[in-house]
Structure formats: C-alpha cells, structure tokens
C-alpha cells in the first residue's frame, strides 16, 4: 500500500509537471485568451462576407455608372477594413486581455525584450495570421465573384476570330449569354460612322483598373499591434499581407476577364458597322431632299413612286432594326437610332406628300385663274360698241376654253387620287380649292348667258351716244375750218416761233379729228348706219400742209442758225451746217410753186430763202477760223489787223467774229491761215530732221557700245 501511494504520488507529480509545462507553452492557458480569439474570429468572418465589388444589378448600367458604384462600394469596404475592423479587433483584445492583468498577456509592457518573449506576441501573431487569411479570402472570393459577374457565360464570343463580320440580321443575336447582360450601351450615329455611347475600347482597361486598384488598396490595411501595444513604438508602414497583383490566381482571373472583353469587342464593332448603311439616311436634310426632287422636275407618277418607296423603307426599318439587342455582356439600346431613322423616313414621306400637295395646289390655282380670266374678260364693262363686239367674239370661244380647262382638271384629279391612295388629308383650303375648280365650268357658262343679256341693253345705249358724238364731231370740223381760214391770213415773219407752235398744234388737231372720224365710221358700220364723210377734213389737211411746212421749216432753220452762231466755234460741225443749209433751202424751194397764187405768202417764203442764202458766205470764214494750225500768235495777228481789242480764239462764238466784221476781211484771214500752215510745215520738217539726227547718234552710240563689249570679251 505504501508502494502504491508512492507510485501514485510520483504519477501525480509527473502529470502536474507536464500540465505546468503545457500551461507555460500554450496560448489557451486563460479563458480570456480563448474569448479574445473568438471575437477576432467573428470579426474576420464579418470581413470575409464584405462586398468589395458590385457583383449584382437589377438591370444593365453604363460603364461610367458601374465604375462610380464600384468606387463607392470599394471606398466603403476599404474604410471598414482600414478603420472599423482594426478598431473593433483592437477594442476586443484590449478589453479582454486587460482582465488578465500582469503576466504573459500584459498589454501595457514597455520593453521590446520582454515583449518578444511574452505569449502576448505569439497571440498577436496568431491574430495577424487570422486577419491576413480573412483579407486574402475576401480578395479571392471578391475577385472570383467580380469576374464571374462580368464574364456572363457567352461561349460564342470566345470562339470568334479577329476578322469577324456580322452576317445575320440585326434583330437576332448569336451572342446571347446564359446570364443577364451587365453593361448598357446606346447605339448612335456619327458623321463618319455609327458609335456607342461608351467607347468599347475602354471596357477592358476600365474593368482591369477597377480590380487592380482595389487589390492595390488592400495592401494598405494596418496591423493591430500599434493600436494595441501603445507603450511600444512601431514603424508606420506595418500592413497586413494581402493578395498581390501577380498572384497566379489573380493573373488567371485577370486574363480570363480581359480575354472575354477583348473578344466581345469584335461582334460589338461588327454590329455597329452594319448601321453604316443608314448614315446617309440619318443625315439627309429634308429641305435639300425636296429641293432635289423639285429640281429634277419629276412627274406626279414619279413622285408617287418616291412616296411609296419611302413608305416601304420605313416599314422595312420597323421589321429589320430592333429596339435592343444583347451581345455578350452588353445590352445595346438601338431604339433612339431606330426611331430617328423611322422618323426621318416619315419626314421624307410627309415632305414629298406636302410637295405634291403644293404642286397640285399650284396647278389647281392656275386652272381657277384661267376661269377667273375668262370671267373677267366676259364681265368687262364695255366702253364702246367695238368693245362689245370684241367681248362677243371672245365669248364664242369660251365653250372651247372651258372644255380644255375641264380636261386639265381631270388630269389633276388623277393626281389628287395619288394623295388619297396614301390616305393624305388635304388642308381645308386645298380641299375647297379643288371643288371650286370642279364647279367653275357651270358658273362660267351661266355667267356667259347673263353677259349676253347685258350687252343687248348696252348696244342701245351706245347707239344713242353715237348720234351725240356725230353732232359734236361735225361741230368740231366747222370750228377748226373757220380757225384755219383765219389763221392762214397771218404773215408776220417776226413771229416765226409762235406761228410754228400754233401750226403744229393745228396740225395735231386735224390728225386727231381724222382719227376720230375713222373711229366714228367703224362704229357706224357696227351700228349698220351710213358712214360719215371725211372729205372736208382731208381737203383741209392738204391745203394746210404747205402752210405748215413753211412755218415749221423756217422756225427749225432759225433755231439751227442760232446754235451755229451762239455756240463756241470749236463745237460747230461745218458739215452739219452745210447739210442744214442745203436741206432748208431745198425745202423752201419746193414750196415756191405752191404759193404762186398767194403773193403775200410767196413774199414771206422768198424772205426766208434770202435769209438762208445770206448765211452761206459765213461757211468760208468759219472754215478758215477752224484751221487747226492757228495758234495764239496768229489769233493776235488777226485781232491786230482787223482791229479787235478782245482776245480771240476758236472757243468763242461765231457771233463775236460777225460782230467785228470778219466777213469783210476774208482775204486777211486767209492770208494768216496760209501763213500758219506754212509755219507748221516748216516746223514739221525741222522736227523730222532733228529726229533723223537723233536716230543717227543713237545708232552710233549703240554700235560703239557693242564694239567695246566685244573687246572686253576678248
């Protein structure tokens, strides 16, 4: 029994010694340590469940919005990792380890040597490993979810080549993914080519940056030592170890993500390129399009074909262009472009219909204008019996004109049927205009009957007016006959100008009476009445003609003579003077036989002939004075010899020369002119000789210069 007790005590001592050894080596020697690790584990589990990326959306969103949401989510998570996680873990450890007090888990230790051998250091290392595992698990799980969310299982994308071309229709997509599309794109039309609201090339770069930037930020999560062991000094760059950018798992996931999105760009671009065919339509200017159609001057049938084509093309757009389409990870909104193209076709159709409507409006308005012209012509208020007969002649052609206009309107109605075929409603004004044009023939024919009845009453009125006009006409003939008889007894040659004016007035009155007589006779014929005799007027005109010639020729000559004498001599045309004198002389000579029996008129005529012949000698002196060789010295010599005190030149009027009696010094003027001509000839000979000498000297100098140049060259 004693041996047994001794053996038991030995065994007990051995176990106690082993337990003490285990107690000294293990961290779980205190239940507070266990609770501390439990709280750390709970915090790490919370970290593992944190959302680091946006990996779920109710609907596709643009890349920019996805990037913003990711940035917000990442910042929120990183704030938790860098602040809240560290603070909560530190708080739990500080609160629980403080219960233990002094010993191996004393957090107030201030010596590095002691701290390095304490269980506390091993505990903190254990916590560090747990936190690093949690952070790594978070990153691996988050990147896996991130890649899985973005790569939405469309195997068809990975199998296409770089030369892929979209061959199918625009509605059915051969790249439908198994999971919903992630990103939202809008297909738009640019000046050069179609494009997407977000540049497709930015997707791989942006998605890679989102993942890499997040992984990089996770390398800056501090350890808990500095915040827990406040009595010790630690470096500022103590961070938890995280997943690196070159980690094999990360590399594999990044490659899968980039490969998927680079491949997805091929069908995306190919699909957009198919819409290049619609670029011309998209940028078609409706006004310019209509102007081109107008300039082509197409017929209504051709315009009808154009309208039908636009309608067919619009329907084709509705059946071939989708509202949206999914290509891999992209949900593409085609509706704005589709609606714009359809709207452009609708606008072109409406513009063509409007153009055709305007064309028909003009045609119909032209027909109505023709009807109105017919009406206005028929309804003109007659001013005379001739006017009535003109209107009657026009009315005879009215039925034929109306028939032609009806034929024109029938062809226009066919064109209106084109608009009805397209269910195009005419504006109210055009609709009214169309039916007005159709109703006009009946109105015109009805108006024609009314006009004929009105003309019957007008004929009676004009017949009465004719009788009154005939009496007035006869009285006018008697008055002018008496006046002319009295006027032809006037013989005052000093009143040539006044007499010529009165003669012209009387002659004009005679002509007007004769013209009125012709009109009266035409009306007499229309009224079926005997003509009025105009013999008295013709005889009166013939008798007055010679008298008129006398006074008008005399007055015209006196005006010419006044201009010849009064104007500067340099401006006088001598040929015109000769011609005027000869014509006046001949005209007056022709009148001499007509006045043989009228001595007084004959004497007046001979007086005017004498006046004309008296001016002829002036031609010689005028010709001499207009000599171009007369210079100032010659004019001075003339003035001195003739006794003129003033300065003479060709710029003064001929009346000055007549006033100083140049006609009496013809020989003197001729002598001076001959001398001036001789002097001019001598000067010209001298100038010619000087020019010859100058030319000889010039030739000599040129030859000498050439000889010198040759000697220099040698």
């Amino acid at each position: 029994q004693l041996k047994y007790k001794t053996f038991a005590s030995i065994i007990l001592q051995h176990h106690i010694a082993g337990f003490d050894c285990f107690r000294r080596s293990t961290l779980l020697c205190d239940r507070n340590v266990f609770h501390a690790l439990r709280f750390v584990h709970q915090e790490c589990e919370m970290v593992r469940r944190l959302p680091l990326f946006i990996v779920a959306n109710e609907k596709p969103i643009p890349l920019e919005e996805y990037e913003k949401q990711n940035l917000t989510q990442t910042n929120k998570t990183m704030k938790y990792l860098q602040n809240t996680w560290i603070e909560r873990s530190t708080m739990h450890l500080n609160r629980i380890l403080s219960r233990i007090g002094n010993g191996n888990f004393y957090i107030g230790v201030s010596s590095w040597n002691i701290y390095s051998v304490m269980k506390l250091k091993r505990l903190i290392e254990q916590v560090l490993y747990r936190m690093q595992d949690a952070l790594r698990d978070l990153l691996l799980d988050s990147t896996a979810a991130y890649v899985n969310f973005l790569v939405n299982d469309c195997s068809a994308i990975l199998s296409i080549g770089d030369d892929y071309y979209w061959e199918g229709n625009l509605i059915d997509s051969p790249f439908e993914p198994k999971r919903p599309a992630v990103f939202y794109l809008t297909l738009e039309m640019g000046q050069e080519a179609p494009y997407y609201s977000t540049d497709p090339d930015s997707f791989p770069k942006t998605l890679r940056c989102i993942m890499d930037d997040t992984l990089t930020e996770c390398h800056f999560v501090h350890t808990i030592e500095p915040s827990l062991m406040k009595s010790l000094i630690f470096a500022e760059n103590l961070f938890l170890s995280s997943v690196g950018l070159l980690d094999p798992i990360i590399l594999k996931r990044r490659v899968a993500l980039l490969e998927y999105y680079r491949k997805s760009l091929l069908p995306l671009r190919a699909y957009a390129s198919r819409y290049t065919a619609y670029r011309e339509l998209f940028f078609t200017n409706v006004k310019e399009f209509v102007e081109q159609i107008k300039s082509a001057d197409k017929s209504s049938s051709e315009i009808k074909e154009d309208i039908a084509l636009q309608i067919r093309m619009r329907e084709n757009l509705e059946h071939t262009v989708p509202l949206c389409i999914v290509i891999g990870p992209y949900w593409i909104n085609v509706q704005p472009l589709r609606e714009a193209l359809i709207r452009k076709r609708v606008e072109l159709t409406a513009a063509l219909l409007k153009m055709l409507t305007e064309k028909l409006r003009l045609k119909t308005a032209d027909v109505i204008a023709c009807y109105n012209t017919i009406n206005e012509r028929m309804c003109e208020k007659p001013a005379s019996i001739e006017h009535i007969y003109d209107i009657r002649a026009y009315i005879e052609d009215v039925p034929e004109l109306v028939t032609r206009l009806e034929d024109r309107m029938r062809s226009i109605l066919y064109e209106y049927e084109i608009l009805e075929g397209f269910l195009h409603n005419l504006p109210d004004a055009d609709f009214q205009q169309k039916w007005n044009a159709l109703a006009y023939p009946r109105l015109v024919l009805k108006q024609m009957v009314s006009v004929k009845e009105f003309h019957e009453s007008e004929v009676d009125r004009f017949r009465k007016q004719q009788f009154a006009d005939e009496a007035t006409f006869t009285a006018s003939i008697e008055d002018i006959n008496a006046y002319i008889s009295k006027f032809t007894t006037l013989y005052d040659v000093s009143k040539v100008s006044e007499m010529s004016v009165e003669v012209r007035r009387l002659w004009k009155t005679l002509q007007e009476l004769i013209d009125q007589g012709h009109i009266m006779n035409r009306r007499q014929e229309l009224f079926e009445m005997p003509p009025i005799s105009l013999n008295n007027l013709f005889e009166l005109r013939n008798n007055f003609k010679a008298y008129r010639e006398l006074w008008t020729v005399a007055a015209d000559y006196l005006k010419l003579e006044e201009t010849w004498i009064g104007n500067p001599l340099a401006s006088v045309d001598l040929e015109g003077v000769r011609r005027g004198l000869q014509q006046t002389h001949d005209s007056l000579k022709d009148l001499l036989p007509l006045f043989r029996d009228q001595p007084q008129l004959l004497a007046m005529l001979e007086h005017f002939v004498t006046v004309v012949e008296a001016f002829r000698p002036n031609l010689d002196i005028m010709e001499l004075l207009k000599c171009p060789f007369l210079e100032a010295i010659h004019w001075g010599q003339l003035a001195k010899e003739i006794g003129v005190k003033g300065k003479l030149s060709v710029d003064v009027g001929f009346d000055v020369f007549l006033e100083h009696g140049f006609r009496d010094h013809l020989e003197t003027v001729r002598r001076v002119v001959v001398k001036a001509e001789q002097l001019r000839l001598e000067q010209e000979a001298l100038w010619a000789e000087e020019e010859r000498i100058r030319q000889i000297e010039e030739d000599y100098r040129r030859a000498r210069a050439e000889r010198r140049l040759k000697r220099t060259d040698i």
Side-chain angles (χ1 to χ4, degrees):
Q1 187 176 5
L2 180 60
K3 290 181 179 180
Y4 175 76
K5 289 181 179 180
T6 303
F7 179 74
S9 62
I10 293 171
I11 295 292
L12 180 60
Q13 290 176 0
H14 177 74
H15 280 290
I16 291 172
F19 179 75
D20 289 339
C21 181
F22 173 76
R23 183 182 178 85
R24 285 193 299 270
S25 62
T26 184
L27 295 176
L28 302 176
C29 59
D30 192 294
R31 62 180 182 177
N32 289 308
V33 175
F34 174 81
H35 290 306
L37 290 176
R38 180 170 61 84
F39 280 115
V40 169
H41 177 73
Q42 290 177 356
E43 292 298 328
C44 290
E45 288 300 318
M46 289 181 63
V47 167
R48 287 186 175 91
R49 293 193 297 270
L50 289 176
L52 196 55
F53 301 101
I54 299 296
V55 293
N57 271 323
E58 295 181 359
K59 59 181 181 179
I61 59 175
L63 177 63
E64 295 80 3
E65 185 177 348
Y66 180 74
E67 187 177 8
K68 290 179 182 178
Q69 291 182 4
N70 260 304
L71 181 61
T72 303
Q73 182 62 51
T74 301
N75 289 338
K76 181 179 178 181
T77 303
M78 289 306 302
K79 184 177 180 181
Y80 183 87
L81 293 175
Q82 293 174 346
N83 298 312
T84 307
W85 187 28
I86 303 301
E87 291 173 359
R88 288 175 62 87
S89 298
T90 302
M91 180 190 67
H92 290 310
L93 290 173
N94 188 31
R95 178 173 56 84
I96 295 173
L97 294 179
S98 296
R99 298 174 185 171
I100 300 176
N102 295 331
N104 280 319
F105 297 100
Y106 179 56
I107 59 176
V109 63
S110 59
S111 173
W112 271 100
N113 293 329
I114 297 173
Y115 173 67
S116 61
V117 297
M118 291 176 66
K119 288 184 179 181
L120 179 60
K121 180 173 176 53
R122 291 166 54 199
L123 176 63
I124 292 176
E125 289 177 353
Q126 179 67 235
V127 172
L128 177 64
Y129 293 143
R130 288 174 179 269
M131 293 178 72
Q132 288 180 161
D133 285 345
L135 182 58
R136 181 178 177 84
D137 291 343
L138 169 64
L139 292 177
L140 292 178
D141 293 343
S142 296
T143 53
Y146 177 73
V147 173
N148 183 64
F149 172 65
L150 296 177
V151 180
N152 58 345
D153 293 342
C154 183
S155 58
I157 285 180
L158 299 174
S159 62
I160 61 176
D162 294 339
D163 57 347
Y164 176 76
Y165 177 76
W166 192 285
E167 296 180 349
N169 59 59
L170 299 176
I171 297 178
D172 300 324
S173 172
F175 303 100
E176 286 281 353
K178 296 179 181 179
R179 286 183 280 115
V182 181
F183 296 109
Y184 174 92
L185 291 176
T186 301
L187 183 60
E188 300 175 4
M189 185 65 71
Q191 290 288 345
E192 300 298 330
Y195 66 95
Y196 292 103
S197 55
T198 302
D199 184 11
D201 291 331
S202 64
F203 278 91
K205 180 180 178 181
T206 302
L207 297 179
R208 175 178 179 170
C209 287
I210 291 174
M211 186 171 73
D212 290 353
D213 291 347
T214 303
L215 291 174
T216 302
E217 284 190 45
C218 288
H219 283 83
F220 298 97
V221 179
H222 285 277
T223 63
I224 64 171
E225 279 184 299
S227 59
L228 181 62
M229 308 299 295
K230 295 182 179 180
S231 298
L232 298 176
I233 299 175
F234 297 89
E236 294 182 357
N237 58 348
L238 295 179
F239 301 107
L240 296 177
S241 176
S242 180
V243 178
L245 296 178
L246 299 179
D247 187 279
I249 299 176
I250 298 300
L251 283 175
K252 182 179 179 181
R253 291 173 180 173
R254 185 187 298 119
V255 168
L257 176 65
L258 295 180
E259 178 67 15
Y260 185 76
Y261 274 87
R262 288 195 184 106
K263 285 283 188 179
S264 69
L265 299 183
L266 298 175
L268 201 62
R269 294 194 187 99
Y271 185 77
S273 65
R274 286 287 300 275
Y275 284 85
T276 305
Y278 299 107
R279 185 172 61 86
E280 183 178 356
L281 170 64
F282 186 86
F283 290 104
T284 297
N285 186 289
V286 177
K287 291 184 179 179
E288 293 178 358
F289 175 80
V290 172
E291 290 301 323
Q292 289 177 359
I293 298 294
K294 287 182 178 179
S295 61
D297 195 20
K298 293 187 176 183
S299 64
S300 297
S301 299
E302 292 173 327
I303 296 175
K304 175 185 177 182
E305 292 299 324
D306 290 340
I307 296 172
L309 174 63
Q310 295 297 332
I311 293 175
R312 288 197 301 272
M313 296 302 290
R314 174 181 60 79
E315 293 174 349
N316 181 62
L317 285 172
E318 292 174 349
H319 291 93
T320 57
V321 178
L323 294 173
C324 62
I325 190 172
V326 176
I327 301 177
Y330 310 106
W331 188 90
I332 303 170
N333 183 14
V334 193
Q335 184 174 359
L337 179 58
R338 178 179 184 269
E339 291 178 352
L341 295 174
I342 293 175
R343 184 167 56 251
K344 184 57 67 72
R345 288 294 181 190
V346 171
E347 290 174 358
L348 294 176
T349 304
L352 289 174
L353 288 170
K354 182 180 179 182
M355 185 189 74
L356 182 57
T357 303
E358 292 174 352
K359 182 179 180 181
L360 296 181
R361 181 189 304 140
L362 294 176
K363 287 185 176 181
T364 307
D366 185 55
V367 171
I368 291 177
C370 292
Y371 280 123
N372 287 331
T373 302
I374 294 172
N375 255 341
E376 291 172 1
R377 183 74 176 88
M378 288 194 306
C379 296
E380 287 179 358
K381 183 173 179 60
S384 63
I385 186 65
E386 299 98 314
H387 196 182
I388 289 179
Y389 275 88
D390 289 343
I391 296 175
R392 285 179 176 178
Y394 179 76
I395 288 176
E396 292 178 0
D397 298 332
V398 166
E400 183 180 353
L401 295 176
V402 170
T403 302
R404 292 177 186 172
L405 291 175
E406 285 181 317
D407 293 339
R408 281 179 60 186
M409 196 59 205
R410 274 192 289 271
S411 65
I412 295 173
L413 281 177
Y414 167 74
E415 298 178 21
Y416 273 111
E417 291 176 359
I418 295 175
L419 295 176
E420 294 175 1
F422 291 114
L423 303 179
H424 178 70
N425 292 326
L426 287 174
D428 293 342
D430 291 357
F431 182 81
Q432 185 65 36
Q433 184 189 57
K434 169 187 171 183
W435 288 104
N436 287 343
L438 294 174
Y440 251 107
R442 182 172 175 274
L443 295 176
V444 170
L445 296 177
K446 184 178 179 181
Q447 185 67 33
M448 185 172 64
V449 176
S450 301
V451 169
K452 288 181 179 180
E453 295 175 355
F454 173 70
H455 283 178
E456 293 298 329
S457 62
E458 288 294 292
V459 169
D460 294 336
R461 183 173 69 85
F462 285 125
R463 183 179 286 108
K464 294 177 183 179
Q465 183 67 36
Q466 179 71 5
F467 289 126
D469 293 343
E470 184 178 355
T472 304
F473 179 70
T474 303
S476 299
I477 293 176
E478 294 175 356
D479 291 343
I480 196 170
N481 191 12
Y483 186 78
I484 289 176
S485 298
K486 180 181 178 181
F487 186 78
T488 52
T489 60
L490 301 176
Y491 313 108
D492 191 354
V493 295
S494 63
K495 297 182 179 180
V496 175
S497 179
E498 294 85 344
M499 295 294 288
S500 66
V501 172
E502 187 64 19
V503 163
R504 286 188 173 93
R505 188 188 67 79
L506 288 173
W507 184 261
K508 181 180 179 182
T509 304
L510 271 174
Q511 287 297 125
E512 290 175 351
L513 285 173
I514 291 173
D515 294 339
Q516 185 181 357
H518 290 310
I519 294 173
M520 295 285 292
N521 280 334
R522 283 197 297 271
R523 292 177 179 175
Q524 291 287 102
E525 183 180 355
L526 294 176
F527 285 121
E528 298 180 354
M529 297 167 61
I532 301 171
S533 176
L534 302 178
N535 294 332
N536 293 338
L537 274 177
F538 292 143
E539 183 179 355
L540 183 61
R541 184 180 64 177
N542 291 334
N543 294 336
F544 189 68
K545 183 176 181 181
Y547 193 77
R548 180 184 72 90
E549 289 290 330
L550 171 62
W551 287 108
T552 54
V553 169
D556 292 343
Y557 170 74
L558 292 178
K559 289 181 181 178
L560 285 174
E561 184 177 307
E562 184 179 350
T563 59
W564 297 337
I565 295 175
N567 290 341
L569 187 59
S571 64
V572 176
D573 180 15
L574 294 181
E575 288 300 322
V577 174
R578 287 192 183 91
R579 189 166 52 252
L581 285 172
Q582 189 62 41
Q583 289 176 356
T584 304
H585 186 270
D586 294 343
S587 298
L588 293 175
K589 285 290 186 181
D590 293 339
L591 294 175
L592 287 174
L594 301 178
F595 294 106
R596 293 291 184 190
D597 300 333
Q598 302 179 44
Q600 293 176 329
L601 291 175
L602 183 61
M604 186 174 61
L605 178 60
E606 290 175 348
H607 167 75
F608 288 127
V609 172
T610 303
V611 171
V612 173
E613 291 177 347
F615 191 83
R616 285 185 184 276
N618 293 330
L619 282 173
D620 296 335
I621 192 69
M622 291 173 73
E623 186 174 2
L624 290 172
L625 292 174
K626 282 178 66 68
C627 177
F629 303 137
L630 289 176
E631 297 181 358
I633 188 172
H634 302 121
W635 288 108
Q637 183 180 353
L638 282 174
K640 182 178 180 181
E641 292 185 9
I642 297 175
V644 179
K645 295 182 179 180
K647 184 179 179 181
L648 298 177
S649 71
V650 75
D651 295 326
V652 301
F654 188 65
D655 54 347
V656 176
F657 295 99
L658 292 178
E659 182 181 348
H660 290 88
F662 267 63
R663 287 183 59 174
D664 300 332
H665 300 84
L666 180 62
E667 293 302 324
T668 302
V669 174
R670 182 176 286 111
R671 177 169 47 80
V672 173
V673 170
V674 170
K675 185 177 179 181
E677 290 176 347
Q678 291 175 351
L679 181 61
R680 185 58 177 265
L681 291 175
E682 292 174 359
Q683 288 178 345
E684 289 179 352
L686 179 61
W687 292 339
E689 181 64 20
E690 290 177 352
E691 177 64 22
R692 186 182 66 80
I693 294 172
R694 188 191 65 78
Q695 188 65 37
I696 292 173
E697 291 176 350
E698 181 68 25
D699 293 342
Y700 173 75
R701 284 194 294 270
R702 187 183 302 109
R704 185 175 60 180
E706 291 177 355
R707 288 195 299 272
R708 288 178 179 176
L709 183 61
K710 289 179 180 179
R711 287 198 299 270
T712 303
D713 294 340
I714 294 173

